[in-house]
Amino acid sequence: MAIATLGTVVLDCPDPVALGRFYAEVLGGEIESDGADWVNLVGATGTALAFQAAPGHVPPKWPAPDDSQQFHLDLMVDDMDAAEKQVLALGATVLEADDRSRGFRVYADPAGHPFCLCAN
C-alpha cells in the first residue's frame, strides 16, 4: 500500500510568474498566484506544477558528470519538430537535440530546468 500520492511538483526559480507563464503556454492551463513568491499552474492535464521564488537560484547543469541535473520533465508531444519551434519561441534553449533519430530531445526552460520533448 502506498504511503502517499504525488500532489504537486514545485520548481524553484528566480521569477515564478514568468516560469509559470512559460509552462502555461507549453502545457495549457493558467497561472494562479496570491503573490510574487508562489505560482500554481491550474487547468493543465497531468501532475500539478507550481513555481516558487528561490533567491540565488542556480540552474541545474545538464549534462555534467560532476553536477546533478536535479530532475527533468518528460513532455509528450505528437509533432516534435512543431513542438520544438514553439518551445524555442517561448524562451527554451536547446541542450541536446542533434540526434533526430531518437524519440526525445532535451531543452532547458527559461530558468534553466531541463525538460525533454518526447514522441507520443
Side-chain angles (χ1 to χ4, degrees), residues 15-78:
D15 184 345
V17 172
L19 194 58
R21 286 184 182 138
F22 173 82
Y23 280 103
E25 289 292 326
V26 173
L27 299 172
E30 299 177 5
I31 60 169
E32 286 183 351
S33 177
D34 57 4
D37 292 340
W38 186 278
V39 170
N40 292 306
L41 178 61
V42 297
T45 303
T47 302
L49 286 177
F51 311 93
Q52 163 176 277
H57 171 72
V58 176
K61 295 179 182 172
W62 190 97
D66 56 343
D67 280 309
S68 171
Q69 68 172 307
Q70 300 173 15
F71 78 98
H72 74 269
L73 301 172
D74 284 346
L75 308 179
M76 308 308 292
V77 299
D78 292 324

Side-chain angles (χ1 to χ4, degrees), residues 4-15:
T5 59
L6 180 61
T8 302
V9 174
V10 181
L11 287 83
D12 286 353
C13 58
D15 184 345

